[in-house]
Amino acid sequence: MPEVEQQINAVTRTVGTRELEAGTANVVTIAQSCPAPVADVWDACTNAERIPRWFMPISGDLSEGGRYQLEGNAGGTVQRCDPPNGFDATWEFGGATSWIEVRLTAEDASSTRMELRHIELDNDNWAEYGPGAVGVGWDMGLLGLAVHFTGDSAYGAEWIGSAEGSRFAWLSSKAWCAANIAAGTPEAQATACADRTTAAYTAPPEGS
């Protein structure tokens, strides 16, 4: 399994905005290189039998226009499907709708850049938690994908609740705080949002 710091540093994180018809949306972007050909990464991200091996159980129709449901989490509609380059889908959870865009780019014959954008209209949740609210979860998802491609044992609830899992969530929240500050959010505001996000996932390690 990748070292916690190694995985945190392997991922790039940016925060921005996009104008939609419904208003200003916040855009959280996370990306990493996967040690696999683009067709294999596409299959890992779109094959209903394979997704649970690194993410979570999924049901429904994963073709364009189909409805999907992640067990105990979000569901939505596949809005666009362009194999093996990417897909777009709604992300419906807790009565709110946001959107995800996944893009895959071959870096060479055996390496693929995966970029995921989570697009969310400006709301109270963003004001309270900032980008880490969805960003930490996607960091955990990309960790699962990295583990999937290296062939290591998959992590699960026990790992997430372990000291190492707590440290991963804490470091991820700090990294999203830095991305939020880089996007122009005042440091005090970004730090307060990150503190609330960290508390929602785990207590910070002792001595931090």
Side-chain angles (χ1 to χ4, degrees):
M1 185 169 190
E3 294 291 334
V4 166
E5 287 82 359
Q6 176 186 348
Q7 176 63 22
I8 291 292
N9 294 333
V11 170
T12 59
R13 304 166 187 83
T14 57
V15 177
T17 60
R18 182 185 297 182
E19 292 302 322
L20 305 178
E21 288 185 8
T24 300
N26 298 294
V27 182
V28 171
T29 304
I30 185 168
Q32 75 172 13
S33 293
C34 302
V38 65
D40 192 25
V41 180
W42 170 263
D43 187 69
C45 294
T46 60
N47 185 327
E49 295 183 359
R50 197 169 171 186
I51 292 170
R53 301 178 197 170
W54 64 272
F55 196 45
M56 61 185 72
I58 189 169
S59 59
D61 179 3
L62 301 186
S63 62
E64 188 168 322
R67 294 280 304 175
Y68 73 92
Q69 180 63 54
L70 291 161
E71 186 175 299
N73 205 289
T77 300
V78 180
Q79 297 179 307
R80 175 178 174 272
C81 194
D82 178 26
N85 303 306
F87 63 87
D88 302 343
T90 62
W91 186 265
E92 302 167 24
F93 183 74
T97 298
S98 53
W99 301 267
I100 58 170
E101 298 174 347
V102 173
R103 298 292 181 266
L104 304 177
T105 305
E107 297 178 310
D108 55 42
S110 60
S111 179
T112 301
R113 182 75 169 175
M114 176 185 179
E115 180 177 282
L116 183 146
R117 294 188 287 271
H118 194 134
I119 304 155
E120 181 179 31
L121 288 168
D122 210 5
N123 54 33
D124 292 342
N125 189 62
W126 181 274
E128 184 170 3
Y129 296 104
V134 297
V136 174
W138 287 121
D139 256 313
M140 291 179 176
L142 264 62
L143 169 62
L145 190 62
V147 169
H148 179 68
F149 283 119
T150 59
D152 292 339
S153 298
Y155 73 100
E158 289 187 4
W159 182 86
I160 292 173
S162 70
E164 188 177 32
S166 293
R167 179 165 177 77
F168 181 85
W170 177 68
L171 288 172
S172 170
S173 184
K174 286 188 65 176
W176 282 110
C177 179
N180 203 13
I181 293 170
T185 301
E187 183 173 354
Q189 179 183 339
T191 299
C193 287
D195 287 345
R196 288 188 285 269
T197 297
T198 300
Y201 278 95
T202 181
E206 293 183 6
S208 62

